[in-house]
Amino acid sequence: MGAAHCRKRLRYSVRRPPPFDGVFPTLVGPEQALVMEQEVETLLRKEAIEVVPPHDRESRFYSRYFTVPKKDGGLRPIIDFRHLNRSVMKLKFKMLTVKQVMSQIRSEDWFVTIDLKDALFHVSVLPQHRKFLRFAFRGEAYQYRVLPFGLALSPCTFTKCVDAALVPLRLQGIRILNYIDDWLILAASESLAARHRDVVLAHMKTLGLRLNAKKSVLSPSQRTTYLGVVWDSTTMQARLSPARIESILVAVKRVKEDRSLTVKQFQQLLGLMAAASNVIPFGLLYMRPLQWWLKTKGFSPRGNPLHMIKVTHRGLRVLVMWRKPWFLNHGPVLGAPHHRVTLADASLTGWGAVMSGRSAQGLWTGRHLSWHINCLKMLAVFRALKYFLPDLRDHHVLVCTDSTAVVYYINHQGGAYVHRAALWLKSEQLFICYGPAKKGYPASKETLSRWIVDATRSLLTFSIHFMYLLMQSPRSQATQSPRSQATSL
């Protein structure tokens, strides 16, 4: 799958490509130099790089290599494309998510996982663009002939190429999911999974894609590990993989009272938590206290990554749940749930809600009269759920609202401006969604009713347990007017 199958031009966010600032050689110590020599030899053997002609070396853009420790020992060379990535236009694209995998798995499915070898190297770079992918080592200049790791455009380009390459397979009825170099085949029976596996492998051979046999699991199974999650179609449950759990426990173990950690270390911990929260119920909710504590310490993702933050007793306490293996082993039940639908709304004077022909309403009094409309709409959802709780207990619930702020905070289980959350653990799950309204017109009751139909077709749904999120102050989310809440969706 080279340039003939997929071509993607480099695009720049500035008027001109990055200027030539000189040849920047990769300078490393003796141990790192040996690793770099092996890396260059391997890349040349795979025809991933080529030597830059002597007459053309003093031009275009050079990046440097550096090395990082491997988990299993040794060093891994990585090319630093950060400066080049600042000049390359960011292309939006959607990658496969854990939630999408959840929706695709059916009861008693059989799985086959396929891992590609040197995935990005299957897509060649146009010759006129290779001059921006250069590096120098020990007096020699090289440039990449294929998509390199670390380039901002590489995941997007490769994903779009693979999506196009898999169309013929999907038209044959083969259920296959792809996340860069990791593929998952799903089938209703063991024999069908084996047949589809053979078709996919033959298609890969036609495209010139190479299989990584060591990381692939070609024998059909009803339990597999994919994207760091263990999927079981017999129990219809998902769990974090043991390796993912161990990485979280190791990162949390580094956080000790009176010990100082860098901003970068906390960023890595938050990244592990955020990724795990796609599987662990309440994951984001239990991550918020750490974010709030870090905020009080001046934490900023765009700040100095080497800035030190001292761990206090409170900072240690917010990680209590993340130290418990049983918490990390929790996971969702797969399969599409049946919803109980509730519609809730509020104005500056009162609130109302409807479910299955029943209604609930009330007027605001006291301090609520000075609250921002977004806070009132959040409170309206809470009161609606509380009122209908006897009929909602042990059911999945779909709440329809016209407030993007409510949707965001409940779907994200809080945010930077939320300081308190009370769980209603007696009920099963809560979905919040919203649908589009005509721009410039307020959403009527009839419009909201139509949204219920759209909502049941999976418009922006995300499942969590019942919870009430109270904003820090009435003006903490004063980003939209009451009218624009219904008209700007």
Side-chain angles (χ1 to χ4, degrees), residues 10 61 98 123 127 166 186 226 240 244 280 309 337 339 412 414 444 448 457 462:
L10 292 181
F61 196 82
V98 170
V123 181
L166 294 181
L186 308 95
Y226 183 67
L240 289 179
R244 183 72 69 85
I280 301 175
I309 297 178
H339 303 140
H412 289 78
S444 63
L448 289 174
R457 295 172 182 164
F462 183 85

Side-chain angles (χ1 to χ4, degrees), residues 10-21 60-61 83-89 129 131-132:
L10 292 181
R11 301 165 66 187
Y12 299 92
S13 59
V14 293
R15 293 184 178 180
R16 288 180 292 181
F20 174 70
D21 291 331
R60 290 315 179 189
F61 196 82
H83 297 292
L84 178 63
N85 287 337
R86 294 192 188 105
S87 299
V88 176
M89 181 180 293
H129 290 154
K131 56 194 173 185
F132 300 105

Side-chain angles (χ1 to χ4, degrees), residues 329-344:
N329 273 294
H330 275 190
V333 176
L334 306 177
H338 297 288
H339 303 140
R340 292 282 180 94
V341 180
T342 301
L343 186 149

